Amino acid sequence: MDTSPLCFSILLVLCIFIQSSALGQSLKPEPFGRRAQAVETNKTLHEMKTRFLLFGETNQGCQIRINHPDTLEECGFNSSLPLVMIIHGWSESVQFSRSHVHLIGYSLGAHVSGFAGSSIGGTHKIGRITGLDAAGPLFEGSSPSNRLSPDDANFVDAIHTFTREHMGLSVGIKQPIGHYDFYPNGGSFQPGCHFLELYRHIAQHGFNAITQTIKCSHERSVHLFIDSLLHAGTQSMAYLCGDMNSFSQGLCLSCKKGRCNTLGYHVRQEPRSKSKRLFLVTRAQSPFKVYHYQFKIQFINQTETPIQTTFTMSLLGTKEKMQKIPITLGKGIASNKTYSFLITLDVDIGELIMIKFKWENSAVWANVWNTVQTIIPWSTGPRHSGLVLKTIRVKAGETQQRMTFCSENTDDLLLRPTQEKIFVKCEIKSKTSKRKIR
């Protein structure tokens, strides 16, 4: 093989550095003037000492400057020639501990980081590897030695954001590959990345909108990790769960025995023999954090037929209030059945102190039901449709606080169509309710 300078350019990378993670900026190319100005503005935040040197036929180490694409031309970069990238390591004489090394790999780079970790000899592993939506094709289902795995570092965490399959393949790997594997919004697809969002992407990215829409979910893993650095005080919490369906029912909001962890840079590093799959919901844009709540409601349906209906809840907290959150409970409300569901809030409302629960069906439904019962006098059911709702139980995922809410009007527990009832904090003791209004 001819290795003369005429055949290829050599890019000597003295260090790997993801400048967008430090500055919280987009990964897409931007016009030189605006990008350079942004870097200049943030110069005091981070003085970059990374050097990228290009070796070719006409130069012996020309420096390429980040965010200055004109330096590629100045250094004589020829895109028609093969490119060899040489990434240096470190000298053992420096006495640098491998446990201080943190490799972050995106897509295929996640597996490359794994290979780097597994190939290091000696008794000590590198400290941490983070896989950001590690590539799926050719790696899904492969043995640990052929992909990123928990054996590649002292601690391995992975974020899965685009595991939806197309023709049997997914862009991101679906199987667990770390000590902690995070699946935001189930991991298959991400909010704000649907093709229905194309018009919004056109406004933001212009002609690059289609490309941005296609890679939106895959690249979301990078932005989630960056978000954990930019908003260190409001970390996104994830919870151990079997699947997203169970999580959507609010059944997995437990932090006992390490069942929850923070997503991103500040993850609690606990190497375990078995991978843990954690789920969470996020917003469509930064800051991505939401607040998770489990609601458990038991109805007494006074009819023999399940009632098809929808509800809304308004929540009042010590900090904020949320108005009319829509709720749909399966195919119909059956009697003496407990319904559990997940509610997420974009803002911290503080401690929940009051719930307004409303039956949103129109009065037409109630009139039809009452008319039918009048026409059929032998009906054994009640003449007025309604649901008895005694208590609402709530668990806050982020604070792990459990609360019970009872109807403010204990003399009338019947909830009718279009009616709204107020529930306040109470304590349940020996099947009796003692209300505490706060």
Side-chain angles (χ1 to χ4, degrees):
M1 176 179 177
D2 184 5
T3 58
S4 66
L6 294 175
C7 296
F8 60 87
S9 299
I10 300 178
L11 181 64
L12 178 59
V13 184
L14 298 181
C15 185
I16 299 178
F17 180 76
I18 305 176
Q19 76 278 6
S20 59
S21 67
L23 301 175
Q25 298 183 9
S26 172
L27 299 180
K28 68 181 181 61
E30 296 187 11
F32 162 71
R34 179 166 58 134
R35 188 69 169 179
Q37 182 179 4
V39 173
E40 193 69 25
T41 303
N42 291 276
K43 193 173 182 180
T44 57
L45 296 178
H46 189 94
E47 185 68 28
M48 187 168 61
K49 299 180 180 179
T50 305
R51 298 179 66 212
F52 298 85
L53 301 181
L54 180 69
F55 292 79
E57 179 183 8
T58 59
N59 64 72
Q60 294 299 318
C62 181
Q63 183 173 353
I64 297 174
R65 298 171 58 199
I66 294 296
N67 304 313
H68 292 271
D70 54 310
T71 57
L72 285 171
E73 183 177 354
E74 292 174 2
C75 292
F77 179 76
N78 188 341
S79 60
S80 65
L81 297 178
L83 177 67
V84 176
M85 300 183 69
I86 303 175
I87 306 173
H88 85 103
W90 64 87
S91 172
E92 293 292 344
S93 62
V94 179
Q95 299 298 317
F96 183 76
S97 175
R98 296 174 182 175
S99 63
H100 295 162
V101 176
H102 181 187
L103 299 182
I104 304 172
Y106 166 56
S107 193
L108 183 60
H111 298 295
V112 173
S113 298
F115 297 150
S118 63
S119 64
I120 292 179
T123 57
H124 302 288
K125 297 181 180 180
I126 62 174
R128 178 183 174 187
I129 296 177
T130 298
L132 303 178
D133 208 31
L138 303 181
F139 294 99
E140 190 79 64
S142 63
S143 65
S145 61
N146 293 326
R147 56 167 172 78
L148 176 61
S149 74
D151 299 328
D152 297 331
N154 291 331
F155 180 77
V156 178
D157 58 315
I159 301 175
H160 306 256
T161 55
F162 195 20
T163 63
R164 178 178 292 181
E165 290 190 4
H166 298 276
M167 301 180 66
L169 295 174
S170 62
V171 174
I173 196 167
K174 193 172 186 177
Q175 69 185 96
I177 54 175
H179 294 102
Y180 279 90
D181 287 77
F182 295 84
Y183 295 82
N185 307 293
S188 63
F189 202 70
Q190 299 305 308
C193 293
H194 198 275
F195 265 100
L196 295 177
E197 302 284 338
L198 183 59
Y199 290 111
R200 182 175 64 85
H201 290 164
I202 289 176
Q204 290 181 344
H205 308 292
F207 292 111
N208 294 323
I210 295 179
T211 302
Q212 289 294 326
T213 303
I214 293 174
K215 69 177 183 178
C216 177
S217 284
H218 192 39
E219 198 174 86
R220 180 64 57 83
S221 59
V222 178
H223 295 294
L224 286 170
F225 192 86
I226 294 172
D227 190 72
S228 72
L229 293 168
L230 296 179
H231 303 94
T234 53
Q235 296 293 298
S236 294
M237 187 65 69
Y239 306 87
L240 182 69
C241 201
D243 52 56
M244 192 60 188
N245 182 54
S246 298
F247 188 77
S248 298
Q249 297 178 50
L251 302 177
C252 304
L253 300 185
S254 174
C255 286
K256 293 182 178 179
K257 298 180 180 180
R259 289 191 177 96
C260 69
N261 208 335
T262 53
L263 176 147
Y265 181 77
H266 300 285
V267 64
R268 185 179 67 255
Q269 299 185 33
E270 295 179 349
R272 300 188 178 258
S273 57
K274 185 178 180 180
S275 296
K276 285 193 171 185
R277 302 174 70 220
L278 294 90
F279 293 80
L280 70 156
V281 173
T282 72
R283 285 162 35 89
Q285 62 278 326
S286 180
F288 292 100
K289 178 183 176 61
V290 303
Y291 297 84
H292 302 79
Y293 292 85
Q294 178 194 21
F295 284 79
K296 294 178 72 174
I297 301 176
Q298 184 178 27
F299 295 96
I300 298 177
N301 185 351
Q302 292 192 340
T303 72
E304 295 181 359
T305 305
I307 297 177
Q308 301 285 343
T309 186
T310 57
F311 306 96
T312 59
M313 283 197 312
S314 297
L315 307 178
L316 176 63
T318 55
K319 296 180 180 179
E320 297 282 349
K321 61 181 179 180
M322 299 296 293
Q323 298 289 344
K324 291 193 173 184
I325 303 170
I327 301 168
T328 303
L329 302 176
K331 298 180 180 179
I333 304 300
S335 187
N336 294 323
K337 180 179 178 181
T338 299
Y339 294 85
S340 177
F341 53 94
L342 181 73
I343 292 290
T344 59
L345 305 179
D346 291 353
V347 297
D348 179 12
I349 65 171
E351 184 177 348
L352 184 60
I353 57 177
M354 182 185 293
I355 300 173
K356 292 182 179 180
F357 196 89
K358 185 177 181 181
W359 185 341
E360 287 292 343
N361 275 65
S362 66
V364 175
W365 190 95
N367 292 334
V368 170
W369 175 253
N370 291 333
T371 301
V372 169
Q373 294 207 22
T374 302
I375 296 174
I376 309 176
W378 56 83
S379 172
T380 58
R383 289 183 175 271
H384 299 284
S385 61
L387 297 168
V388 176
L389 175 55
K390 292 184 177 180
T391 60
I392 300 175
R393 298 180 184 272
V394 183
K395 180 178 181 180
E398 277 64 28
T399 64
Q400 294 293 287
Q401 183 181 11
R402 295 178 181 271
M403 299 157 280
T404 302
F405 292 81
C406 301
S407 176
E408 188 177 45
N409 184 2
T410 57
D411 296 329
D412 181 16
L413 300 178
L414 192 65
L415 180 66
R416 301 173 180 85
T418 71
Q419 186 183 33
E420 181 180 76
K421 281 190 173 294
I422 296 176
F423 291 79
V424 294
K425 274 190 175 182
C426 62
E427 291 183 355
I428 304 298
K429 293 182 179 179
S430 302
K431 298 184 179 180
T432 60
S433 299
K434 179 181 179 183
R435 294 187 295 121
K436 284 188 177 181
I437 302 178
R438 299 182 182 179

